[in-house]
Amino acid sequence: MSLQILTTKQKITSMIAASSGNLVEWYDFYIYAFTAHYFAHQFSNSNNPTIELISAFGVFALGFLMRPIGSWLFGSLADKIGRKKSMVYSIILMAFGSFLIAILPTKNTVGDAAIIFLLIARLIQGLSVGGEYGIAATYLSELGSKGNRGFYSSFQYVTLIGGQLLAVFSSVIIEIFYTQEELGDYAWRILFVIGGILALLSLFARKNMHDSTQNLNQYKNRGSLKELFKYKKSFMMVLGFTAAGSLCFYTFTTYTKTFMINTAGFSSQTSNYIMLAALFCYMILQPIFGAFGDKIGRKNSLIIFSIFGIIFTYPILNMLAHTQNPSIAFGIITFSLLILSFYTSVAGIIKAELFPIQVRALGTGLSYAIANTVFGGTAPYFALQFKNYGFENMFFVYIIIMLIICLVVSCLLPKKTQLN
């Protein structure tokens, strides 16, 4: 049965099945970022907390280096053997990476090799999540019909943000049951065990997915870089607007917690509560902004994101750095996420519709992964480096420059797409 002739009930079932795995993948990946301050000292030999975090987030950034490889591997598989099978393989790999982090030895046991083992586990997770994005974006874009594709594809970021939300919520819960000493000693490992178990459970949900049955076999070079090269203009455009989108996404959803602790002076627990509330609001916004993007056009959504980002990024981060009030901090972060929703609600579909079916998963995933690796995964690392050298505000300027590039690319996006 073709995805285009599924009943509404079948489409919803397939969307939930695909999204459940996407949620778990991103929980497993982000739990690292939200717990890094617990275990950074166990893998770094520095006594400087900022340097310890730089080491931990350096590994976080290096994990992104595997994303292009994962996107190429799993995206190619999705275009050759189907979206469903490729999704199943990626979730199994993520489960393995999470369990591996949970049992890693520390520097007290294996010395400097500890950071190497941590890196290997993160590379495995990066490989998995690199494949997941492109397949999920492709699948959800193909699931929707003309006029509501933005709404359907927005659920990729609903579950992506849901993964982050679950990671923050887990951090809040574990802080209730364990002391800071216990968290820094061993309790942080529990969160990675939970992630591995959830990844395995999501395999059962994905059995209910309806795979794309459009005849991929008719395309000789489907899922190949040779075929993708024919659409290099689309590839470069995705790189252009994803660079700014990913940079803003990881700044406002991941680094913000560290920023509140390190710069604004909030406690870890307070910053967890703030992020928990803000991410929940952000998750709820995605379908609303996705449907809005269907009405005004996804190109216009990107243009609005770019303009508002250019205007408000510096004031947002500067105000957040100087507030001591949790309610104000919540309002500032939520406002930044509202602006970001113009991008994230349509990010998956606007990439997918630039590529034809035979290279859609590969083109969507690989172009995203490269930009995401270079600009998204490095966001916390560069932000901490700017802070370490006493020029933290220059990171804000860096974001604005990338948003200007995003605005230019957004204006050049074609009206006609490859998605029928």
Side-chain angles (χ1 to χ4, degrees):
M1 183 183 295
S2 170
L3 284 176
Q4 298 303 320
I5 58 174
L6 292 177
T7 65
T8 300
K9 182 179 179 180
Q10 289 173 322
K11 285 187 175 184
I12 292 173
T13 299
S14 294
M15 180 181 70
I16 292 172
S19 299
S20 68
N22 193 51
L23 183 147
V24 171
E25 288 246 14
W26 290 97
Y27 165 83
D28 284 353
F29 196 77
Y30 282 117
I31 198 64
Y32 180 99
F34 289 122
T35 58
H37 64 285
Y38 296 145
F39 61 76
H41 68 283
Q42 293 197 8
F43 296 92
S44 172
N45 287 321
S46 174
N47 292 321
N48 185 324
T50 299
I51 298 299
E52 287 178 349
L53 282 172
I54 288 174
S55 298
F57 277 112
V59 172
F60 180 78
L62 289 172
F64 279 70
L65 292 178
M66 295 302 287
R67 286 195 176 192
I69 300 174
S71 295
W72 165 74
L73 175 62
F74 290 105
S76 181
L77 280 174
D79 288 328
K80 289 178 180 178
I81 66 174
R83 320 307 190 202
K84 180 178 178 179
K85 288 182 180 178
S86 191
M87 282 184 177
V88 168
Y89 297 150
S90 71
I91 199 73
I92 291 173
L93 193 63
M94 178 58 79
F96 177 73
S98 293
F99 284 130
L100 189 58
I101 292 180
I103 62 172
L104 283 178
T106 66
K107 66 181 182 183
N108 293 332
T109 305
V110 295
D112 291 338
I115 197 74
I116 303 300
F117 292 143
L118 179 62
L119 175 60
I120 291 172
R122 285 299 293 174
L123 293 180
I124 291 172
Q125 287 192 315
L127 186 70
S128 170
V129 82
E132 178 71 17
Y133 182 93
I135 312 168
T138 297
Y139 186 80
L140 291 173
S141 67
E142 292 172 345
L143 197 63
S145 54
K146 192 172 182 180
N148 63 12
R149 285 180 178 138
F151 174 76
Y152 269 87
S153 64
S154 70
F155 281 90
Q156 179 179 20
Y157 269 88
V158 169
T159 51
L160 193 157
I161 298 160
Q164 289 183 303
L165 190 63
L166 186 59
V168 178
F169 181 72
S170 299
S171 298
V172 170
I173 295 299
I174 204 169
E175 284 184 345
I176 294 174
F177 290 98
Y178 295 94
T179 65
Q180 289 297 313
E181 291 74 20
E182 290 172 330
L183 286 168
D185 185 24
Y186 66 90
W188 60 269
R189 297 179 185 272
I190 296 171
L191 299 175
F192 289 95
V193 173
I194 292 172
I197 293 172
L198 289 174
L200 294 179
L201 290 175
S202 71
L203 289 174
F204 293 101
R206 285 192 165 177
K207 287 183 178 180
N208 297 320
M209 286 175 57
H210 290 81
D211 206 346
S212 175
T213 55
Q214 294 160 300
N215 189 12
L216 291 170
N217 292 328
Q218 66 182 296
Y219 301 102
K220 182 180 179 182
N221 295 315
R222 65 188 186 279
S224 69
L225 293 175
K226 178 181 178 181
E227 183 70 13
L228 179 60
F229 188 72
K230 297 177 183 178
Y231 306 95
K232 54 183 177 293
K233 182 178 179 181
S234 296
F235 193 89
M236 295 305 296
M237 282 188 165
V238 174
L239 286 179
F241 66 75
T242 303
S246 292
L247 176 59
C248 289
F249 180 80
Y250 285 99
T251 296
F252 293 120
T253 66
T254 303
Y255 176 65
T256 300
K257 180 188 173 183
T258 303
F259 184 78
M260 284 191 289
I261 296 171
N262 245 18
T263 300
F266 287 101
S267 68
S268 174
Q269 191 172 47
T270 300
S271 65
N272 271 339
Y273 289 139
I274 293 170
M275 289 305 300
L276 191 65
L279 285 174
F280 179 78
C281 294
Y282 184 38
M283 181 176 67
I284 298 300
L285 288 173
Q286 298 316 293
I288 298 171
F289 276 72
F292 185 60
D294 285 327
K295 299 295 183 183
I296 67 170
R298 291 177 277 279
K299 177 177 178 177
N300 290 330
S301 288
L302 275 187
I303 291 173
I304 293 171
F305 157 70
S306 303
I307 294 173
F308 281 9
I310 291 167
I311 294 172
F312 292 109
T313 291
Y314 198 102
I316 284 171
L317 291 172
N318 192 53
M319 287 175 62
L320 186 60
H322 294 93
T323 185
Q324 301 295 317
N325 187 311
S327 297
I328 293 176
F330 165 75
I332 293 170
I333 294 170
T334 302
F335 179 65
S336 72
L337 296 178
L338 186 146
I339 294 172
L340 188 57
S341 293
F342 281 104
Y343 167 77
T344 52
S345 62
V346 300
I349 179 64
I350 205 166
K351 296 179 182 76
E353 64 186 4
L354 288 173
F355 299 98
I357 185 173
Q358 70 271 22
V359 289
R360 186 168 294 145
L362 177 61
T364 301
L366 186 59
S367 55
Y368 161 82
I370 292 173
N372 194 250
T373 297
V374 176
F375 299 98
T378 58
Y381 180 79
F382 282 140
L384 287 166
Q385 288 286 13
F386 277 118
K387 176 179 175 59
N388 193 47
Y389 285 102
F391 300 101
E392 189 169 31
N393 285 10
M394 290 305 297
F395 180 67
F396 312 163
V397 176
Y398 166 56
I399 296 173
I400 293 170
I401 291 172
M402 297 310 301
L403 283 165
I404 292 172
I405 295 173
C406 180
L407 177 60
V408 173
V409 175
S410 300
C411 291
L412 296 175
L413 286 170
K415 292 183 179 180
K416 186 177 180 180
T417 71
Q418 296 282 352
L419 196 60
N420 297 322

